[in-house]
């Protein structure tokens, strides 16, 4: 029998969450004043959790490694947030959002968690509107929606191309209200370096003040990790440079199982890499695929001419363009899920049809939409026999209203006007569906230790649908954790304050200090970035969009070798008691070098293709789905949850068998 207990309530799926809430233990308002909760990370998940828990009356200590929660990486989310409100009257429902999410994740997520997510999604929009989030509105003043990949309805609420920023500002305002009331104690520029367990329960953390370098002890009755994903294990990703896996990895090493690390999303709509000197990649929102058509030249000679700068995309006739997503997936077209679109782009570029100097780019073209919108606007404004120039002008104005800041960002980076020349895009590492294993309560395998948002594994299976990350983060923080954590904390109303002058805090702080001292005293010759880049290259080349057993075994051996060299030859300048970004990076890359090997190990044992995990040995060989990913439900319909045992290669696998009672397991098709 598995040591994993998902704690999913009994009964029909539509009643599980309601019945659960009706029967849980509660903490009365007077007792909440005597309970402390630590929240690590203040993006949408952590920020919404901190604000809500403080509003309920708990004492919250919130930690951010940035100088303000406003700078959390949630701010970078562009396209929107899903919710099953059916404002467009196009057939959406809670069940359809549930179904699309499970199918989009290639049937590798826990049904009960996903249904709850769909169920509370509508509440998120009401909450954010009440906070003043300026969602886009239609002509009549009602909230507007657009469509994202993997769905046949429009359910994505958005604020131009700045949705994450606007949602974070709403969340931040809720936090600030509680900071002013003294219910949230805010620790900016602090990084959690380890969790402290007392009698098996999470009771605090060791944090480093990133300005002074001082190590601090903080205690609480429960600890919540909300620190995002681990995409920067690839070095080049769409994540902010500071995004890291340290908090999640440290709790893994203290007993929290790590689930599905190989389920990582490659986003198809990113600005292509331009050279080896780059330190990060830039995302172009998936929302652009509503109006942009993706294509490459149909003729190899045209592609070669474009790569050599002898031909422009606007010179290629319509009949000489291959709109390959529309050709392969007529039902969903350019709005297929991210994993499908990414692999299709890679296949075309690998075949030689790429459209930039490196041959690693495809076009995202808005000319058709500009013309369509222009003609529509001409009719609306009563302009008869409008010239081509006038139609283009009117159409570009519509596109600018919907995506203006994204087009501006693209032009600043690439130095080309995307209104006149098609954008160039290529897949890049983006979101991580894997993460810390949690049960239905969002608790890890360590009592009192919770994990929410992208840092956990729970809702997206093997592939996240666009606009679902913000939905999960806010659902966890505003509407799920405040209930589930109360059930646990009801046993702590007589515990009293947790002291920090205990042997457990002493030992954990000593471990943290010894590691810092090692980095600063190691007389190596190579920078932290040297090792991070080497790790990233191995990850992208051998554990990237396409994987096979031989390469995965090589990756494990190579990552282990890089890790051994890192501990012998890393050079970290500066001191411990000062602001030292290189010291920060050293600790984070040390964690990535362990996580990367477990990542490859997880990919190796999963001998199937599903979602973002594509094994070359597991492909449909014939029929309508020829060339597509081949899932193996008989042997791999489980969550792989890894227990730390020292070396990543020695990690022990625990399986949470997935049950599908409300959705039929079948081949995922978008044709």
């Amino acid at each position: 029998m598995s040591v994993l207990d998902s704690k999913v309530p009994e009964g029909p799926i539509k009643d599980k969450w309601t019945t659960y809430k009706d029967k849980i233990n509660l903490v009365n308002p007077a007792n909440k004043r005597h309970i402390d909760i630590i929240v690590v990370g203040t993006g949408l998940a952590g920020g919404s959790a901190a604000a809500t828990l403080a509003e309920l009356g708990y004492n919250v200590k919130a930690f951010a490694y940035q100088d303000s929660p406003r700078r959390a990486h949630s701010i970078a989310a562009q396209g929107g947030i899903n919710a099953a409100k059916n404002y467009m009257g196009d057939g959406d429902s809670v069940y359809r959002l549930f179904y699309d999410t499970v199918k989009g994740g290639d049937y590798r997520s826990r049904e009960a968690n996903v249904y709850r997510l769909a169920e509370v999604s509508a509440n998120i929009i009401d909450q954010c509107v009440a906070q003043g989030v300026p969602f886009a509105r239609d002509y009549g003043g009602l909230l507007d929606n657009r469509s994202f990949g993997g769905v046949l309805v429009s359910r994505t609420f958005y604020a131009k191309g700045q949705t994450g920023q606007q949602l974070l500002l709403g969340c931040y305002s809720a936090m600030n209200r509680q900071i002013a009331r003294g219910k949230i104690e805010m620790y900016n520029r602090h990084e959690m370096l380890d969790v402290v367990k007392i009698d098996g329960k999470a009771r605090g953390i060791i944090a480093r003040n990133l300005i002074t370098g001082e190590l601090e002890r903080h205690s609480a009755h429960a600890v919540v990790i909300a620190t995002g994903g681990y995409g920067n294990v690839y070095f080049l990703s769409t994540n902010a440079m500071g995004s890291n896996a340290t908090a999640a990895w440290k709790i893994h090493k203290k007993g929290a199982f790590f689930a599905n690390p190989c389920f990582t999303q490659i986003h198809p709509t990113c600005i292509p890499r331009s050279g080896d000197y780059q330190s990060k990649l830039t995302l172009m929102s998936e929302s652009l695929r509503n109006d942009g058509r993706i294509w490459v030249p149909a003729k190899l000679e045209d592609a070669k001419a474009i790569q050599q700068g002898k031909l422009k995309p606007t010179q290629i006739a319509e009949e000489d363009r291959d709109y390959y997503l529309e050709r392969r997936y007529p039902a969903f077209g350019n709005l297929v899920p991210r994993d499908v679109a990414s692999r299709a782009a890679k296949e075309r570029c690998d075949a030689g049809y790429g459209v930039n100097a490196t041959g690693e780019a495809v076009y995202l073209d808005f000319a058709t939409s500009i013309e369509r919108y222009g003609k529509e606007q001409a009719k609306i404004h009563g302009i008869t026999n409008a010239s081509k120039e006038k139609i283009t002008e009117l159409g570009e104005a519509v596109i600018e209203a919907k995506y203006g800041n994204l087009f501006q960002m693209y032009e600043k980076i690439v130095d080309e006007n995307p209104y006149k020349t098609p954008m160039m895009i290529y897949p890049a590492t983006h979101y991580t569906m894997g993460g810390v294993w949690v049960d239905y309560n969002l608790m890890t395998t360590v009592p009192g230790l919770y994990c929410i948002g992208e840092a956990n594994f729970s809702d997206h299976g093997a592939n996240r649908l666009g606009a679902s990350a913000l939905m999960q983060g806010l659902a966890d923080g505003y509407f799920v954790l405040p209930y589930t954590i109360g059930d646990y904390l009801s046993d702590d109303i007589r515990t009293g304050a947790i002291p920090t002058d205990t042997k457990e805090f002493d030992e954990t702080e000593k471990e943290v200090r010894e590691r810092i001292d090692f980095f600063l005293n190691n007389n190596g010759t190579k920078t932290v970035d040297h090792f991070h880049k080497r790790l990233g290259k191995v990850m992208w080349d051998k554990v990237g969009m396409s994987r096979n057993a031989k390469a995965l075994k090589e990756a494990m051996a190579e990552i282990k070798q890089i890790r051994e060299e890192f501990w012998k030859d890393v050079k970290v300048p500066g001191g411990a008691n000062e602001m030292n970004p290189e010291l920060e990076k050293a600790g984070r890359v040390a964690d990535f070098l362990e996580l990367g090997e477990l990542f490859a190990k997880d990919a190796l044992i999963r001998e199937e293709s599903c979602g973002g995990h594509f094994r070359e040995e597991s492909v449909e060989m014939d029929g309508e789905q020829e060339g597509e990913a081949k899932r193996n439900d008989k042997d791999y319909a489980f969550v792989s949850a890894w227990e730390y045992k020292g070396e990543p290669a020695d990690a022990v696998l625990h399986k949470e068998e997935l049950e599908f009672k409300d959705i039929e397991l079948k081949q995922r098709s978008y044709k």
Side-chain angles (χ1 to χ4, degrees):
M1 181 179 163
S2 172
V3 298
L4 299 171
D5 180 5
S6 63
K7 294 187 172 65
V8 172
E10 296 296 325
I13 197 164
K14 65 182 180 61
D15 299 328
K16 286 183 188 294
W17 180 231
T18 301
T19 304
Y20 172 92
K21 290 188 293 181
D22 287 345
K23 295 182 177 179
I24 58 172
N25 294 316
L26 301 175
V27 181
N28 86 32
N31 285 330
K32 288 189 177 89
R33 293 195 290 268
H34 305 300
I35 292 179
D36 303 321
I37 302 173
I38 285 173
V39 179
V40 184
T42 52
L44 283 180
S48 59
T52 308
L53 292 169
E55 182 80 43
L56 288 171
Y58 296 107
N59 306 311
V60 178
K61 299 177 183 179
F63 293 80
Y65 72 73
Q66 301 93 342
D67 55 5
S68 164
R70 284 185 59 178
R71 297 176 70 88
H73 189 55
S74 300
I75 203 172
Q78 299 164 345
I81 177 170
N82 290 330
K85 277 186 167 289
N86 195 29
Y87 278 2
M88 309 305 283
D90 55 1
D92 201 10
S93 65
V94 168
Y95 181 85
R96 189 172 289 277
L97 174 52
F98 161 60
Y99 172 82
D100 286 344
T101 305
V102 173
K103 176 187 174 184
D106 220 351
Y107 304 92
R108 289 294 175 264
S109 48
R110 188 190 289 150
E111 271 193 342
N113 285 64
V114 179
Y115 193 90
R116 178 176 63 186
L117 176 66
E119 197 176 346
V120 305
S121 65
N123 299 338
I124 299 170
I125 305 304
D126 298 337
Q127 168 90 3
C128 295
V129 169
Q131 289 174 338
V133 173
F135 286 120
R137 295 181 179 265
D138 65 16
Y139 181 74
L142 301 176
L143 294 182
D144 200 9
N145 287 146
R146 56 190 177 201
S147 191
F148 261 59
V151 304
L152 294 172
V153 297
S154 293
R155 65 163 66 103
T156 304
F157 295 78
Y158 64 98
K160 213 169 184 179
Q162 310 167 352
T163 313
Q165 180 181 16
Q166 299 304 326
L167 290 171
L168 190 62
L169 288 173
C171 179
Y172 180 58
S173 67
M175 283 187 71
N176 268 343
R177 180 169 177 269
Q178 300 307 320
I179 292 170
R181 292 179 63 222
K183 295 305 293 180
I184 294 179
E185 198 172 348
M186 190 67 229
Y187 292 89
N188 294 324
R189 300 298 286 145
H190 280 68
E191 182 169 24
M192 170 189 156
L193 294 181
D194 214 339
V195 66
V196 179
K197 289 165 57 178
I198 299 175
D199 296 328
K201 297 180 178 181
R203 292 301 199 187
I205 65 170
I206 303 297
R208 181 173 180 267
N209 181 323
L210 297 180
I211 302 295
T212 66
E214 181 184 357
L215 293 183
E216 300 176 4
R217 303 179 181 191
H218 296 276
S219 66
H221 297 90
V223 176
V224 180
I225 303 299
T227 50
Y230 49 90
N232 276 350
V233 70
Y234 283 92
F235 185 71
L236 282 180
S237 82
T238 65
N239 286 257
M241 293 291 288
S243 296
N244 65 86
T246 287
W249 194 249
K250 288 297 190 286
I251 68 170
H252 169 57
K253 294 174 82 166
K254 286 291 178 73
F257 291 3
F258 207 93
N260 298 336
C262 77
F263 287 169
T264 310
Q265 183 165 84
I266 310 295
H267 197 297
T269 319
C270 300
I271 296 178
R273 182 177 64 89
S274 57
D276 291 335
Y277 51 83
Q278 252 179 287
S279 55
K280 81 174 298 293
L281 298 169
T282 303
L283 176 70
M284 290 281 101
S285 170
E286 181 177 309
S287 62
L288 295 171
R289 290 199 272 148
N290 274 280
D291 289 310
R293 300 177 71 194
I294 294 173
W295 64 276
V296 293
K299 298 176 182 175
L300 200 56
E301 57 266 31
D302 286 346
K304 296 299 179 193
I306 286 176
Q307 291 167 18
Q308 294 163 9
K310 297 175 181 176
L311 195 63
K312 292 188 164 95
T314 49
Q315 296 174 302
I316 297 182
E318 188 71 14
E319 60 270 20
D320 292 329
R321 301 179 178 191
D322 178 14
Y323 295 94
Y324 58 88
L325 291 179
E326 297 170 31
R327 169 171 57 82
R328 293 182 189 177
Y329 309 101
F332 285 74
N334 295 295
L335 284 173
V336 291
R338 293 173 176 180
D339 60 317
V340 177
S342 294
R343 282 195 296 274
K346 182 179 187 298
E347 185 278 326
R348 287 290 78 197
C349 291
D350 287 351
Y353 292 89
V355 296
N356 68 350
T358 67
E360 292 183 334
V362 299
Y363 287 128
L364 181 62
D365 195 335
F366 291 84
T368 302
S369 293
I370 288 171
E371 183 180 2
R372 184 179 75 251
Y373 284 130
K375 288 178 178 177
E376 182 183 89
Q377 289 297 307
K379 284 189 184 331
I380 290 171
H381 291 93
I383 303 172
T384 56
N385 299 319
S387 66
K388 186 179 180 184
E389 289 74 18
K390 186 63 178 176
I391 287 172
T392 300
E393 178 190 330
L394 293 169
E396 287 181 354
V398 174
I399 293 293
E400 183 178 8
K402 295 176 79 172
Y403 312 112
N405 63 305
L406 298 171
F407 276 53
Q408 184 182 42
M409 186 166 68
Y410 179 89
E411 186 169 5
K412 283 187 174 182
I413 293 171
V414 181
D415 196 26
E416 282 187 0
N417 182 350
Y419 293 100
K420 306 300 181 187
T421 304
M423 284 185 181
M424 289 184 294
I425 57 168
Y426 192 69
T429 303
H430 180 52
Y431 187 90
T432 55
M433 286 76 66
V436 178
W437 185 91
V438 293
D439 61 19
Y440 189 75
N441 301 316
L442 305 181
M443 192 191 288
T444 70
T445 44
V446 175
L449 184 57
Y450 291 79
C451 191
I452 61 176
E454 188 182 356
N456 76 28
F457 88 101
S458 69
D459 292 1
H460 307 295
N463 174 61
R464 176 177 69 81
L465 291 181
S468 286
L470 306 185
M471 175 175 63
Q472 187 212 344
L474 292 182
D476 286 356
Y478 282 137
F479 298 110
V480 179
L481 182 75
Y483 281 104
T484 63
I485 202 169
D487 186 44
Y488 170 79
L489 291 171
S490 63
D491 290 334
D492 266 321
I493 59 174
R494 293 184 181 84
T495 302
I498 307 295
T500 59
D501 57 347
T502 63
K503 66 176 177 31
E504 291 87 354
F505 274 92
D506 290 344
E507 289 167 1
T508 309
E509 182 180 330
K510 181 171 177 283
E511 290 170 15
V512 170
R513 196 176 298 280
E514 285 174 352
R515 188 177 221 199
I516 289 172
D517 290 343
F518 169 83
F519 284 134
L520 296 174
N521 296 323
N522 193 50
N523 293 316
T525 62
K526 303 287 195 310
T527 65
V528 175
D529 281 344
H530 166 84
F531 294 101
H532 197 178
K533 286 179 181 177
R534 284 175 60 192
L535 170 65
K537 179 163 177 48
V538 173
M539 293 297 296
W540 183 252
D541 289 347
K542 298 183 177 180
V543 204
M545 265 192 283
S546 185
R547 302 159 183 179
N548 61 66
K550 179 176 178 290
L552 290 170
K553 289 173 183 173
E554 290 171 355
M556 288 182 68
E558 289 173 27
I559 293 168
K560 182 178 181 180
Q561 182 182 348
I562 295 169
R563 187 169 69 249
E564 289 171 352
E565 289 181 35
F566 171 85
W567 286 106
K568 289 176 185 173
D569 203 26
V570 70
K571 173 70 174 175
V572 179
N577 300 318
E578 62 182 1
M579 192 171 186
N580 190 342
E582 288 300 307
L583 178 59
E584 295 168 37
K585 281 196 292 185
R588 296 165 187 171
V589 172
D591 296 328
F592 280 138
L593 283 165
E594 293 179 348
L595 172 57
E597 187 178 343
L598 182 66
F599 188 134
K601 180 184 175 85
D602 188 51
L604 181 63
I605 65 105
R606 189 170 285 275
E607 297 176 358
E608 64 163 351
S609 292
C610 60
H613 171 64
F614 187 77
R615 283 289 294 267
E616 293 166 9
E617 303 95 333
S618 189
V619 180
E620 296 288 351
M621 300 306 293
D622 49 37
E624 186 186 342
Q625 293 294 110
E626 183 180 354
E628 299 294 323
K630 185 177 182 179
R631 221 175 53 236
N632 179 350
D633 295 327
K634 178 177 175 291
D635 299 315
Y636 294 99
F638 63 78
V639 175
S640 57
W642 296 94
E643 181 182 3
Y644 180 77
K645 290 292 184 182
E647 285 289 308
D650 299 330
V652 172
L653 174 64
H654 299 274
K655 298 178 182 180
E656 179 195 342
E657 300 295 339
L658 294 169
E659 295 182 345
F660 295 92
K661 298 176 180 176
D662 291 83
I663 291 180
E664 179 190 357
L665 271 173
K666 59 183 180 181
Q667 175 70 47
R668 189 174 63 142
S669 174
Y670 294 94
K671 292 180 181 289

